Amino acid sequence: MLRTTLALAATTLLLASCGNSEGEAPVEGPAVSAPETPMNPAVDTQESAQQDSLTPGANSFTEGQAREAMEKQGYSISGPLTQGEDGIWKGQASLSGAAPTTVSVDYKGVVSAG
């Protein structure tokens, strides 16, 4: 009889500790979120988002620091960089032998091509 009572008490405690608090929905499995990048690799939304994310402002980067930021992103710079009145550094650069394009760096260090 004592074994049955202890087993019943242990089962009750176990079930009570596994229960949800009042107002919580039952957990049915791990949450699945949507991927952050498009499933189609031919669609490059990241580059167009970067172009829109350049922020004009007083830039404290030197030309060397702006060049370094571009090189860290894999760009080969093919000439001098110039800083516009908007504070954004610009220059001609290319990625992995691709055709040169204008690459820019804003005062936050955001690098953008196009």
Side-chain angles (χ1 to χ4, degrees):
M1 177 80 175
L2 182 60
R3 278 188 183 176
T4 306
T5 304
L6 287 175
L8 183 59
T11 304
T12 303
L13 286 173
L14 182 62
L15 290 175
S17 66
C18 292
N20 291 333
S21 299
E22 187 176 323
E24 288 185 38
V27 177
E28 295 181 11
V32 178
S33 61
E36 292 183 22
T37 57
M39 297 304 288
N40 183 349
V43 177
D44 185 9
T45 58
Q46 193 170 20
E47 183 176 318
S48 61
Q50 281 185 340
Q51 289 174 356
D52 295 336
S53 66
L54 288 177
T55 308
N59 199 320
S60 61
F61 290 142
T62 63
E63 180 180 354
Q65 290 169 324
R67 181 179 298 272
E68 185 178 317
M70 291 176 183
E71 289 171 346
K72 280 184 180 179
Q73 296 296 319
Y75 289 99
S76 296
I77 302 163
S78 58
L81 302 181
T82 57
Q83 187 177 27
E85 290 182 20
D86 58 0
I88 295 176
W89 284 97
K90 295 180 181 180
Q92 291 294 305
S94 60
L95 277 175
S96 303
T101 187
T102 301
V103 179
S104 307
V105 179
D106 70 3
Y107 78 95
K108 295 179 181 180
V110 175
V111 177
S112 177

